[in-house]
């Protein structure tokens, strides 16, 4: 009887949902899972929930239900090796520029109005809108949100760089690091793993 009374305080509820065929579910409790679910999406495991199926804005009225002038979603096309690039609608301006000598290795998503320099390596990453990556940079297994600037020779591996952040020339941002909104990583700085 005494044991039963103690167990009452320790009881917890478990909720569950059984996915139907064709549905996808993923728990994002840490950065590794965040990256894994993003890569699943880009590898088309969640089809038809893939970037090239959403956000198309037609000439008069798009699938988003608005005219081109008011449409705020980017439209994507999937290219070789699962590289998703914006198609450059009227709202996002011109299509993102990628230097000729830059290597794009998917799965990879390049948001609207990006500028990628020469001799860069972009692999298994997601770049938001208005991102600038200058020459000789490496971005691998990373997520760069909107309006991020990565200067010459910087290296990002397994990092999240939040909106408006700047990674200065020659900086190294390693696995598990989170660069906060509007933060600046100084020139030549090497961040240790899991720095926030």
């Amino acid at each position: 009887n005494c044991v039963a009374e103690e167990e009452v305080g320790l009881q917890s509820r478990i909720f569950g949902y059984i996915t139907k065929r064709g549905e996808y579910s993923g728990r994002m409790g840490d950065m590794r899972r965040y990256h894994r679910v993003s890569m699943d999406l880009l590898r088309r495991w969640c089809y038809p929930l893939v970037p090239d199926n959403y956000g198309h804005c037609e000439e008069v009225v798009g699938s988003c239900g608005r005219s081109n002038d008011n449409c705020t979603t980017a439209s994507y096309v999937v290219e070789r090796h699962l590289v998703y690039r914006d198609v450059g609608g009227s709202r996002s301006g011109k299509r993102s520029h990628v230097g000729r000598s830059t290597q794009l290795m998917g799965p990879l998503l390049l948001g609207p109005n990006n500028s990628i320099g020469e001799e860069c390596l972009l692999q298994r990453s997601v770049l938001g809108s208005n991102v600038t990556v200058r020459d000789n940079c490496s971005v691998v297994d990373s997520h760069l949100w909107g309006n991020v600037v990565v200067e010459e020779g910087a290296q990002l591996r397994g990092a999240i760089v939040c909106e408006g952040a700047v990674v200065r020339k020659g900086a190294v941002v390693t696995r598990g690091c989170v660069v906060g909104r509007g933060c600046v990583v100084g020139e030549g700085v090497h961040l240790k793993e899991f720095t926030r």
Side-chain angles (χ1 to χ4, degrees):
N1 200 5
C2 184
V3 174
E5 289 175 10
E6 289 179 19
E7 287 180 2
V8 170
L10 300 175
Q11 289 180 352
S12 59
R13 295 182 184 180
I14 297 174
F15 296 94
Y17 176 78
I18 299 173
T19 59
K20 297 177 184 105
R21 184 179 176 102
E23 291 183 335
Y24 177 88
S25 174
R27 184 177 180 169
M28 291 187 273
D30 57 26
M31 292 186 338
R32 195 172 91 194
R33 287 298 301 159
Y34 176 76
H35 180 68
R36 179 62 50 207
V37 169
S38 297
M39 292 300 105
D40 283 353
L41 181 97
L42 296 180
R43 286 186 180 112
R44 306 180 77 77
W45 278 96
C46 309
Y47 188 85
L49 300 174
V50 292
D52 54 319
N53 274 352
Y54 292 92
H56 296 283
C57 295
E58 312 284 330
E59 278 189 28
V60 180
V61 176
S63 60
C64 56
R66 303 181 200 120
S67 68
N68 257 351
D69 295 335
N70 297 324
C71 191
T72 58
T73 58
S75 298
Y76 295 96
V77 62
V78 62
E79 297 177 347
R80 292 184 323 164
H81 308 294
L82 295 175
V83 174
Y84 294 86
R85 291 186 62 186
D86 69 297
V87 295
S90 66
R91 184 74 167 160
S92 63
K94 60 185 172 142
R95 188 173 189 195
S96 294
H97 168 76
V98 177
R100 294 187 107 182
S101 59
T102 290
Q103 294 181 23
L104 302 178
M105 302 171 74
L108 176 72
L109 185 133
L110 300 177
N113 206 26
N114 288 342
S115 177
I116 312 298
E118 298 290 336
E119 299 291 328
C120 293
L121 168 65
L122 277 68
Q123 182 177 14
R124 294 184 310 270
S125 296
V126 176
L127 280 68
S129 60
N130 302 310
V131 171
T132 301
V133 178
R134 302 229 167 91
D135 298 340
N136 300 310
C137 291
S138 174
V139 178
V140 178
D141 294 325
S142 297
H143 296 261
L144 281 62
W145 296 358
N147 302 306
V148 170
V149 176
V150 180
E151 294 183 354
E152 294 84 1
Q155 296 180 15
L156 286 79
R157 300 208 181 276
I160 294 177
V161 182
C162 297
E163 191 156 340
V166 178
V167 179
R168 295 276 186 221
K169 184 177 182 180
V172 177
V173 182
T174 56
R175 181 174 65 108
C177 290
V178 178
V179 179
R181 179 182 302 212
C183 289
V184 177
V185 177
E187 186 173 331
V189 170
H190 183 106
L191 295 178
K192 294 180 182 177
E193 289 186 356
F194 302 103
T195 301
R196 296 181 188 234

